[in-house]
Amino acid sequence: MGDRTLVLGGTGKTGSRVAARLTALGVQVRIGSRSAAEPRFEWDDRTTWGPVLDGVDKAYIVYAPEIAFPGAAETIGEFANAAADAGVRRLVLLSGRGDEVHAGASEQAVRDSGAEWTILRAAWFNQNFSESFMYEPVVHGVIELPASDVAEPFVDVEDIADTAVAALTTDKHLGQTYELSGPRLLTFGDAAAEIGAARGKEVSYVPVTFVEYGKMLREHGLPLAYVEMFRKVLDGRNSYLSDGVQRALGREPRDFADYARKTAETGVWS
């Protein structure tokens, strides 16, 4: 068994940062993604699981498209068991806050695998506005979501990556579930305003109904399961701060305003 860490979603928002940090620490990293050269990994193709797990000691698990989608828990459970059977001794799962049914079942599946585990239960990512489906709306100056005036404790993926790396490289986070949030509650209107101020060009937030949002998803070829996921997690249940970053890293989480300023400075929203 080699001392190698598998990073699923290794080209994504959190996985790329986790992989870069581990590599800088001298850890052997295997990227698990569809776009990886060899071995390739796909959640829906079980024949790709064995090769990516071969010779792996630890794994960072990110499920795509979303851990809150129906069927995710069963698939993650199968993968966690396959990993443990292959000799992977530690699993760090990226989960989400506010969905005790699907995300909660995925978390329990990892706990039940027999491997060492740490659960990272993250709030809405800051980087969704710059590296994901909210990027184009920000550039065009209008964010439309079925979130009303609900406040979120937006978390920076840099904090998620720092916590994941700590859990993968030290033993003091074993058996811990960390709820990761930023230091402030902001509505999506607040977030849009802070992004607009940082980029020097107004960004407005327009609340839409779930029916309207479903139509928007269909037009862009995105899964309608996002509607039900947002219906659950954007109902105010996540409108509280948590101390996972402080507990795991011994420092305060990064602030949304700093994220907006630094991202604007890169010119990505120009």
Side-chain angles (χ1 to χ4, degrees):
M1 170 65 63
D3 188 11
R4 178 181 287 121
T5 298
L6 171 65
V7 179
L8 297 185
T11 58
K13 290 187 290 295
T14 66
S16 62
R17 290 168 167 87
V18 170
R21 283 164 166 76
L22 291 174
T23 300
L25 291 173
V27 176
Q28 293 184 59
V29 173
R30 173 175 291 159
I31 301 297
S33 74
R34 289 182 177 181
S35 59
E38 290 294 338
R40 177 179 58 86
F41 174 81
E42 293 192 39
W43 279 108
D44 293 334
D45 184 356
R46 268 67 169 174
T47 66
T48 67
W49 293 8
V52 298
L53 290 169
D54 183 40
V56 165
D57 185 52
K58 303 169 187 174
Y60 176 62
I61 301 176
V62 179
Y63 181 80
E66 286 289 345
I67 197 171
F69 281 12
E74 291 79 7
T75 303
I76 290 171
E78 289 181 36
F79 182 83
N81 290 334
D85 290 343
V88 180
R89 66 182 177 89
R90 181 175 304 179
L91 303 175
V92 176
L93 174 70
L94 178 63
S95 186
R97 301 196 331 168
D99 187 340
E100 293 76 14
V101 177
H102 296 112
S106 297
E107 294 173 7
Q108 192 58 48
V110 169
R111 295 187 186 102
D112 292 342
S113 69
E116 301 169 347
W117 58 267
T118 305
I119 307 295
L120 310 184
R121 196 179 286 161
W124 185 289
F125 299 171
N126 293 350
Q127 281 74 7
N128 284 340
F129 295 103
S130 53
E131 301 176 27
S132 191
F133 67 105
M134 300 306 299
Y135 165 72
E136 287 191 9
V138 169
V139 171
H140 293 143
V142 180
I143 296 172
E144 296 177 300
L145 276 176
S148 186
D149 59 353
V150 167
E152 285 287 317
F154 298 100
V155 65
D156 199 297
V157 297
E158 301 288 353
D159 287 337
I160 298 171
D162 284 346
T163 308
V165 169
L168 289 164
T169 57
T170 68
D171 293 340
K172 61 183 179 181
H173 306 288
L174 299 182
Q176 294 294 315
T177 297
Y178 293 118
E179 287 212 359
L180 306 177
S181 82
R184 291 187 292 146
L185 288 171
L186 295 90
T187 66
F188 281 88
D190 295 333
E194 294 199 11
I195 292 172
R199 73 191 286 246
K201 186 176 181 181
E202 182 181 1
V203 179
S204 60
Y205 166 63
V206 178
V208 297
T209 67
F210 286 101
V211 172
E212 291 170 330
Y213 195 65
K215 292 179 180 177
M216 293 165 56
L217 291 176
R218 281 195 296 271
E219 290 172 359
H220 290 85
L222 296 172
L224 290 179
Y226 280 113
V227 173
E228 289 307 311
M229 183 183 74
F230 287 158
R231 193 188 301 275
K232 291 177 182 176
V233 301
L234 295 179
D235 65 355
R237 72 182 66 190
N238 283 319
S239 297
Y240 65 92
L241 303 179
S242 48
D243 63 354
V245 173
Q246 294 91 327
R247 287 173 52 218
L249 302 177
R251 61 165 175 78
E252 290 301 307
R254 293 170 170 85
D255 189 77
F256 188 89
D258 293 330
Y259 152 76
R261 175 181 53 79
K262 291 177 181 177
T263 303
E265 290 172 352
T266 69
V268 70
W269 289 320
S270 299

